[in-house]
Amino acid sequence: MADRPVRVGVFLTHQQPAGRDPLLALAEQLSLVRTARDGGLDSVFAGQHHLPESFSHIQPLPWLARLAAEAGDMRIGTGIHLLALHNPVGTAESFAGLDVVTGGRSVFGVGLGYREVEYAAFGIPPGDKVRRFTENLRIVRALWTGEPVHADVDWCRLDGVRATTLPAVVPPVWMAANSDGAVRRAARLADTWMINPHATAATVRRQLDLFHAERAAAGRGPLPELPLMREVYCAPTRERALELARPYLAGKYEVYADWGQDRVLPGAETFRTGYDVLARDRFVVGTPEDCLGALLPWRDEVGVDHFVLRTDWAGMPVEDARASLDLLAREVAPVLRAAPAMTSRAHPRPEGTGRETGRSRRPGAGERRW
């Protein structure tokens, strides 16, 4: 299989402390989009939650449609759309429209979600979510072909209908997955696994073996892309990076623990722990050299070819988020792009050895490649 060029993008959740001025928050987030665009980054993603309680944020469809006007030629995607909660016809038409708005550069990121309050709000029994997710994905893809579609389930009935609202280019399906079972499902159903930022490198290393084995057993073709999300903060010194990132990154994972995010991770992983333990083998916080030391093994040993970096968390001053994003665009992204992703299935090295940073050696600079 040929090596794949590397892309680097940003994840802008648009999560804000509850009650914050939404117009000010929107203006700040759009300034981050422009920073990513002007820095030459390749993509921007947004996520979805309903009734987030501790946070507020715009739902991804209006947010992504708005930022598309600022994003230049960046790819634009969801990370993720909670597919089981929504009607597949509405989803197919809405995301086809988003693809047209983005000029055919959208990514359809999907996942199950894990919050009981969301399933209760939509009147969906949690035990039914996998069936709904699987059937909804089938229907969305079928509608995007423009061919007759049939469905006979209790939430959607179609008798040979044809969709006329079609994407400009059929978006790739990236599936988020935390548990081993979900990783196997992603291997069977999606174009690729959108590797989550919550699991440690050791967990991801083990799950990648499951993913590749399940994909091979299903007779799937070559993997077109392997995206990785990571929590990253970059500053001129390691101490400054930790000072600026720690309060907001720790706060983010306290909310995740309240929501039960860690309960869907395999084994006994928990977010109910101190920051230093939580950060180890998970977060990338440090200088450009530290960030490259942590991220390059994913490219060179695992084959990650699309890095989606989250460097902005609820409550962080926008100036601090912008400073990290600018440094990532200028000093980290060009080096990640300087060589293609290897297609070897070797395992990633741990992202830290007792710290949230990785190796401190910086490779030589390189030019952007597609």
Side-chain angles (χ1 to χ4, degrees):
M1 189 189 307
D3 292 335
R4 301 185 301 267
V6 173
R7 296 178 174 88
V8 182
V10 61
F11 191 93
L12 295 179
T13 315
H14 206 321
Q15 287 181 340
Q16 304 291 327
R20 189 161 188 263
D21 181 347
L23 296 180
L24 176 61
L26 176 61
E28 290 179 350
Q29 290 285 295
L30 287 172
S31 77
L32 295 177
V33 175
R34 292 188 286 270
T35 298
R37 176 200 66 198
D38 295 345
L41 294 187
D42 303 298
S43 62
V44 56
F45 285 78
Q48 181 174 56
H49 277 297
H50 296 285
L51 303 174
E53 300 169 359
S54 305
F55 299 139
S56 65
H57 65 86
I58 299 174
Q59 286 294 310
L61 275 171
W63 167 224
L64 292 172
R66 174 63 183 87
L67 70 81
E70 313 276 347
D73 62 357
M74 288 193 290
R75 294 172 76 186
I76 294 174
T78 47
I80 55 171
H81 173 65
L82 298 170
L83 182 58
L85 296 180
H86 297 279
N87 181 276
V89 175
T91 293
E93 292 182 341
S94 294
F95 281 89
L98 179 65
D99 188 70
V100 173
V101 167
T102 64
R105 296 188 305 274
S106 73
V107 174
F108 187 48
V110 295
L112 277 178
Y114 58 91
R115 297 178 66 227
E116 294 179 3
V117 66
E118 291 174 322
Y119 277 90
F122 284 81
I124 297 172
D128 201 31
K129 63 184 180 181
V130 172
R131 181 173 72 98
R132 284 178 177 261
F133 177 91
T134 303
E135 183 64 8
N136 282 356
L137 182 58
R138 181 194 72 80
I139 294 170
V140 168
R141 281 175 151 164
L143 288 168
W144 282 346
T145 69
E147 298 299 320
V149 180
H150 296 268
D152 186 13
V153 289
D154 52 346
W155 65 94
C156 181
R157 298 183 186 276
L158 303 174
D159 186 14
V161 302
R162 293 174 184 262
T164 56
T165 302
L166 300 176
V169 178
V170 176
V173 176
W174 292 9
M175 189 179 296
N178 292 306
S179 68
D180 290 355
V183 168
R184 292 188 177 99
R185 189 179 309 115
R188 296 191 303 271
L189 299 181
D191 295 312
T192 193
W193 173 26
M194 191 175 193
I195 301 173
N196 71 73
H198 316 123
T200 64
T203 294
V204 174
R205 178 170 64 244
R206 181 184 61 78
Q207 289 183 324
L208 274 168
D209 277 346
L210 301 178
F211 176 77
H212 287 302
E214 189 75 13
R215 188 175 173 88
R220 307 296 303 277
L223 190 67
E225 201 163 13
L226 185 60
L228 170 79
M229 290 180 61
R230 290 284 99 174
E231 311 280 15
V232 178
Y233 193 85
C234 192
T237 69
R238 185 175 295 172
E239 293 75 19
R240 183 63 171 159
L242 182 59
E243 175 189 356
L244 294 177
R246 179 172 180 158
Y248 309 104
L249 190 47
K252 169 77 173 176
Y253 278 73
E254 287 174 5
V255 172
Y256 273 154
D258 292 341
W259 286 357
Q261 167 70 270
D262 48 353
R263 291 198 295 271
V264 298
L265 294 172
E269 291 189 45
T270 178
F271 297 158
R272 300 285 189 191
T273 187
Y275 175 85
D276 291 340
V277 174
L278 184 65
R280 190 179 304 131
D281 203 30
R282 182 179 279 118
F283 303 156
V284 181
V285 176
T287 65
E289 291 81 4
D290 292 327
C291 293
L292 287 166
L295 295 173
L296 281 170
W298 290 102
R299 181 196 74 184
D300 297 339
E301 300 171 18
V302 180
V304 166
D305 61 355
H306 200 138
F307 293 87
V308 181
L309 309 178
R310 179 159 56 189
T311 192
D312 171 46
W313 305 280
M316 172 175 276
V318 69
E319 297 83 6
D320 294 342
R322 190 182 300 119
S324 174
L325 185 55
D326 179 67
L327 202 52
L328 288 167
R330 286 189 293 108
E331 298 199 26
V332 175
V335 181
L336 291 174
R337 295 195 194 102
M342 302 298 290
T343 56
S344 165
R345 286 171 50 188
H347 300 314
R349 295 176 189 168
E351 288 186 348
T353 54
R355 304 184 184 188
E356 64 274 20
T357 52
R359 296 174 295 166
S360 60
R361 180 184 62 82
R362 180 183 175 184
E367 298 294 324
R368 177 176 180 177
R369 289 185 57 181
W370 286 90

